[in-house]
Amino acid sequence: MDSSRLLRTTGLALAVAGLLTSGCSSGGPAAGADAGRAAPRAALLQPLDEEIPEELKPYYGQKLRWRKCGADGFECARMRAPLDYGKPGKGGDIELAVARKKATGRGGHLGSLLVNPGGPGGSAVDYLRTYAGIGYPQEVRERYDMVAVDPRGVARSEPVRCLPGRQMDALTQVDLTPDDQAEVETLVEAFRGFAQGCQRRSGELLGHISTIDSARDMDVLRELLGDEKLNYVGASYGTFLGATYAGLFPSRSGRLVLDGAMDPALSARRMNRDQTAGFDTAFTAFAEDCAGRKDCPLEGGNAQEVGESLQRFFRKLDAEPLATGEDRRLTESLATTAVIAAMYDEGAWARLREELKQAMAGKGEGLLKLSDLYYERGADGSYSNLMPANSAINCLDLPAAFKGPEEVREHLGSFRKASPVFGTGLAWEALSCAYWPVEATGKPRRIEAEGADPILVVGTTRDPATPYVWARSLADQLRSGRLLTYVGDGHTAYGRGSHCVDSTINGYLLEGKAPSDGKKCG
C-alpha cells in the first residue's frame, strides 16, 4: 500500500475523488543523503511505430456498443484490449469500462475529450459522471464529447482485489513510525500480507496494469471514437498517463492538458521524498494560517511551533490511540492520513482545525472520517478498489523505493529534512513495494514526445502532492511543452477558481491557442 504516492485531484472540497502518485523534479534540489550527487540521466521513452501492427487491428477495429447509463445523457460501453500487448490475441483479453456524454451545443464539434482524475486508482468513469460531464465549462461541453475510460485494474475495468474490509482496516492502522525492531517487523509483515492478498485475488492481472499498458489502451479508444488525434485533460497521476501517451504516440497527440504534473524521469525514492517535501510546503502554509487564528487548536505563534505542536499530538496518539465511537481507534497513522488529506485543498483547512480541536479533547471520530474519505472506506466497512489499484500500478511502474528496512533507516534523515512532521511515516510507507509479488516492468524515463502538438503543462506553486518543480521538469522534457504556473495553494489548478488559469486552458482546448511558455496566473 504505497499511499504516500496516492494523489487526489480535488482533496476533500468536492465529493469527487481524484488521485495522485509521487514524482519529483530532476531539475529540483535534492535533499539529505543524496544531496550533491548527480542523478543518472533517465532513459528516453521511445515512440511506437505509427503503423498499427497487424495483430492489434482486431482491437482497433471493434465496434463500441453504447447504452444509456443514468440520467443527463450519459452512455456507457465496454472495449476489449489485449491483456498482454506483447502477445495480442494469444494471452487473453481485458475488458475496459468506457463512458461518454456527447457534445451539447453548436459552434463546431471538436471530437472527443478524454479525462482522467489521477490516482493511480481513480475511476475516470465516476469522475466524468459526477463532475467532468456536468461541471466542466459549458463551452467545453458544448463542443466536445466528454469521454472517460477506467484504466485497467481500476474500478469497473477488471479491478485489482487484495484484502477484505477488516484486513484493510488493520493495514490502515499499522504503525508507520516504528520505535523498535518489533514494530518494524510488524510493519513489514503488514506490507507482505497486503502483497500476498493481492497476488491471491488478482493473479496474472498484476503484471499487465502498467501506465504504458493504459496509455496504449487510450490509443485504441481514440480510434474507436473516430478521432485522428487524442484530446485529453489529465490531473495528477493523469498527467503521467497523458505524458506517457504523448511519448508513445506523439503524432496522434492533440490538445493535451497535464494539470498537477508529475516528473516521469524520477526514481520511486526521489518521488516519494520530493512529495514528502511537497506536503511539508502545504502544511507550512496551513500552519502559518492557523497560527494567526483564534480557533487554531495547535499551539504556537508561527509555522514551526504549530508543526511541533502537531508532532506532540501525533506522539500521544502513538502511545494511546483515541476512542472514536466504534471499534476502530484513531491511531497516529490514521490521524496523519487525515491531516495529509486536508492538505490537498485549502478549503478543507477549517474542517481540519475543528477536527483537530475535537481530537485534542479526546474525540477521534472526526479525523477518522477524514481518513476514511481519503482511503474511500464506506460506512459499511468496505473499501473501494482505490488502494489496491494504487499500489499495484505504482509498484509495476517503478522499482521499489527501498529494498528493505535498512535502506529506509539510511535515508530517514533526508525524509525528515524534507518534512519534520510527515517525513518518518512517509519514508517507512515507501517500503511497501519492496514486497510486491510482481517485478516492476517500468523505470524512470524522460518523455520528449518529439513531433507532438503543443502540450500544456500546469503546475501550482504550493501543490502538496505534485510539487511545482515536477511541472517545470516535465515541461522542459517535452519538446512542445508549455508551462502554465498557478501561484497558489492546493492540488491542481483547473476549475479551482482562477479565471486566468481556466480561461487559458479553455482557450487552448477550444481554439488550440497554447499560451507562451512560462505564463503565470495568480
Side-chain angles (χ1 to χ4, degrees):
M1 175 195 65
D2 198 356
S3 60
S4 63
R5 295 172 58 200
L6 174 68
L7 314 180
R8 294 182 175 274
T9 57
T10 54
L12 300 173
L14 298 175
V16 181
L19 315 168
L20 52 92
T21 82
S22 61
C24 160
S25 169
S26 55
D34 295 336
R37 301 179 189 172
R41 185 170 173 80
L44 179 66
L45 179 63
Q46 298 291 342
L48 296 174
D49 290 340
E50 291 190 21
E51 187 71 25
I52 297 171
E54 194 66 33
E55 59 270 25
L56 287 179
K57 287 183 178 178
Y59 299 98
Y60 278 83
Q62 66 186 292
K63 302 295 183 184
L64 294 179
R65 298 181 179 179
W66 295 101
R67 57 177 177 79
K68 292 182 180 180
C69 53
D72 299 319
F74 287 97
E75 299 177 302
C76 294
R78 307 286 295 182
M79 65 169 272
R80 288 185 303 109
L83 178 65
D84 185 348
Y85 273 96
K87 46 183 180 181
K90 299 178 181 178
D93 291 345
I94 189 170
E95 280 202 350
L96 308 178
V98 184
R100 75 176 176 188
K101 187 176 183 184
K102 288 187 175 181
T104 59
R106 304 172 184 174
H109 186 235
L110 294 173
S112 306
L113 181 64
L114 195 65
V115 296
N116 183 282
S123 171
V125 170
D126 285 348
Y127 176 69
L128 177 70
R129 295 178 63 178
T130 59
Y131 175 66
I134 55 177
Y136 262 44
Q138 181 178 344
E139 57 268 37
V140 173
R141 292 182 286 115
E142 284 179 342
R143 300 187 63 189
Y144 281 103
D145 295 340
M146 302 292 293
V147 180
V149 55
D150 279 348
R152 51 178 62 204
V154 173
R156 298 168 181 81
S157 293
E158 303 199 17
V160 172
R161 302 186 189 281
C162 294
L163 298 176
R166 283 287 183 180
Q167 293 180 43
M168 290 294 289
D169 281 346
L171 182 66
T172 63
Q173 295 174 68
V174 71
D175 188 354
L176 293 171
T177 58
D179 300 311
D180 53 38
Q181 185 58 29
E183 290 187 351
V184 170
E185 291 173 1
T186 297
L187 177 60
V188 167
E189 285 308 304
F191 288 153
R192 287 189 191 276
F194 178 68
Q196 291 166 0
C198 297
Q199 186 175 37
R200 284 195 302 270
R201 292 173 173 83
S202 300
E204 186 182 11
L205 178 66
L206 293 182
H208 302 286
I209 54 174
S210 72
T211 297
I212 285 181
D213 289 323
S214 291
R216 297 190 70 171
D217 294 338
M218 292 201 305
D219 194 58
V220 175
L221 179 57
R222 173 202 57 76
E223 180 76 11
L224 302 185
L225 294 170
D227 294 324
E228 181 179 346
K229 293 189 175 185
L230 180 81
N231 299 310
Y232 175 84
V233 177
S236 197
Y237 163 78
T239 68
F240 179 40
L241 181 57
T244 299
Y245 180 90
L248 295 174
F249 306 103
S251 66
R252 300 175 196 162
S253 298
R255 300 171 187 177
L256 272 57
V257 177
L258 309 180
D259 183 14
M262 290 178 58
D263 181 351
L266 301 175
S267 69
R269 181 185 301 163
R270 182 75 183 273
M271 293 175 78
N272 277 275
R273 190 182 60 213
D274 281 19
Q275 191 182 52
T276 299
F279 281 116
D280 194 72
T281 297
F283 178 75
T284 297
F286 164 78
E288 288 175 347
D289 178 78
C290 194
R293 293 178 177 272
K294 293 181 179 179
D295 67 340
C296 182
L298 298 168
E299 298 174 352
N302 57 48
Q304 180 178 337
E305 292 174 353
V306 169
E308 291 169 351
S309 176
L310 182 62
Q311 288 177 271
R312 290 193 295 272
F313 173 63
F314 284 162
R315 286 195 290 270
K316 288 181 180 179
L317 289 178
D318 190 26
E320 187 175 355
L322 283 179
T324 63
E326 55 176 277
D327 58 358
R328 290 182 300 154
R329 298 178 72 82
L330 181 70
T331 62
E332 179 190 17
S333 56
L334 288 170
T336 302
T337 298
V339 174
I340 283 176
M343 295 301 99
Y344 283 86
D345 192 323
E346 65 272 27
W349 290 0
R351 178 175 177 182
L352 177 60
R353 291 194 303 270
E354 177 59 30
E355 303 303 3
L356 281 170
K357 177 182 177 182
Q358 294 297 321
M360 289 177 170
K363 301 175 182 179
E365 50 266 40
L367 288 180
L368 182 64
K369 288 179 180 178
L370 285 180
S371 178
D372 286 350
L373 282 172
Y374 189 77
Y375 286 133
E376 292 191 0
R377 182 189 189 273
D380 61 356
S382 64
Y383 286 76
S384 77
N385 142 267
L386 169 66
M387 290 167 63
N390 180 265
S391 291
I393 296 169
N394 278 332
C395 294
L396 196 60
D397 275 349
L398 288 174
F402 300 112
K403 295 178 181 178
E406 286 308 312
E407 283 197 358
V408 178
R409 292 188 180 101
E410 180 185 349
H411 291 274
L412 269 176
S414 67
F415 275 77
R416 288 169 176 161
K417 183 176 180 180
S419 176
V421 177
F422 305 119
T424 299
L426 293 181
W428 281 106
E429 196 162 21
L431 178 63
S432 61
C433 285
Y435 309 101
W436 200 247
V438 179
E439 186 175 351
T441 58
K443 62 181 180 181
R445 290 186 174 95
R446 291 176 295 114
I447 298 178
E448 295 183 357
E450 185 173 2
D453 292 345
I455 297 173
L456 185 54
V457 179
V458 187
T460 298
T461 56
R462 293 185 294 277
D463 191 314
T466 51
Y468 175 64
V469 287
W470 301 358
R472 285 170 42 197
S473 180
L474 179 58
D476 285 344
Q477 289 172 47
L478 294 167
R479 292 292 183 91
S480 60
R482 305 286 182 87
L483 178 63
L484 173 64
T485 297
Y486 172 55
V487 181
D489 297 292
H491 182 40
T492 74
Y494 189 36
R496 290 174 50 84
S498 168
H499 173 75
C500 174
V501 169
D502 291 353
S503 61
T504 300
I505 293 176
N506 292 342
Y508 171 70
L509 290 174
L510 296 171
E511 301 172 30
K513 293 181 178 178
S516 58
D517 187 36
K519 179 176 180 177
K520 290 187 177 182
C521 293

